[in-house]
Amino acid sequence: MELPDFMSYANKFSANDFVDKISRIAKSAGAKLVYAALILYYTLQSDKVSKKDKAIIIGALGYMISPLDVIPDAIPIVGLTDDLAVLVYVLKKIWDCVEPEIKDKAKEKLKKWFDEEEIAEIGDLF
């Protein structure tokens, strides 16, 4: 699958829209997508991340929030695969900037929506 120009979605991102969407789709999206999104969201809040990386993160999260994407989210099972691809792509690019505390914070937040078995799925993020 070819990734879209997710930077064109940067204007779709807002913290409130992110929290609303992630809360709505958590169970259907799966722990892996939610974990990737949370890591990016928390990394965005870090003052140790470059402006360039923050711009890329905003584009990816904007893409996830936007109802207009390559595969519409409403399509069962495959509807969120493009969102996951974009999130993982960006996460790989900025992985060196992700501090252990951010990963722990994201894992802790997962407990709100997932049980231990579902959280275990995040082990193979890449």
Side-chain angles (χ1 to χ4, degrees):
M1 169 183 7
E2 186 175 323
L3 292 176
D5 176 17
F6 54 85
M7 288 308 297
S8 64
Y9 290 86
N11 65 339
K12 304 282 186 205
F13 176 76
S14 77
N16 286 339
D17 289 344
F18 172 79
V19 171
D20 288 347
K21 173 122 186 200
I22 208 75
S23 297
R24 248 188 2 262
I25 67 164
K27 272 299 201 186
S28 63
K32 192 176 284 193
L33 183 142
V34 174
Y35 182 58
L38 287 171
I39 288 175
L40 291 174
Y41 179 71
Y42 293 138
T43 300
L44 182 62
Q45 298 171 6
S46 172
D47 58 355
K48 297 176 184 175
V49 179
S50 72
K51 288 183 181 183
K52 177 185 170 199
D53 286 343
K54 285 185 178 193
I56 294 169
I57 292 169
I58 288 170
L61 294 177
Y63 182 83
M64 187 197 83
I65 291 169
S66 176
L68 304 172
D69 51 20
V70 176
I71 304 172
D73 295 347
I75 298 175
I77 301 171
V78 297
L80 295 169
T81 56
D82 60 323
D83 296 58
L84 180 60
V86 167
L87 295 178
V88 170
Y89 174 79
V90 171
L91 199 52
K92 280 185 175 182
K93 290 183 90 50
I94 60 104
W95 191 248
D96 292 339
C97 299
V98 179
E99 298 179 350
E101 297 81 24
I102 289 174
K103 295 174 193 173
D104 292 342
K105 187 175 180 180
K107 285 179 186 174
E108 192 61 34
K109 187 70 168 179
L110 286 179
K111 293 177 184 177
K112 178 177 179 180
W113 299 298
F114 301 99
D115 61 33
E116 290 297 321
E117 188 174 305
E118 292 167 317
I119 293 172
E121 295 175 13
I122 66 170
D124 183 25
L125 191 56
F126 302 115

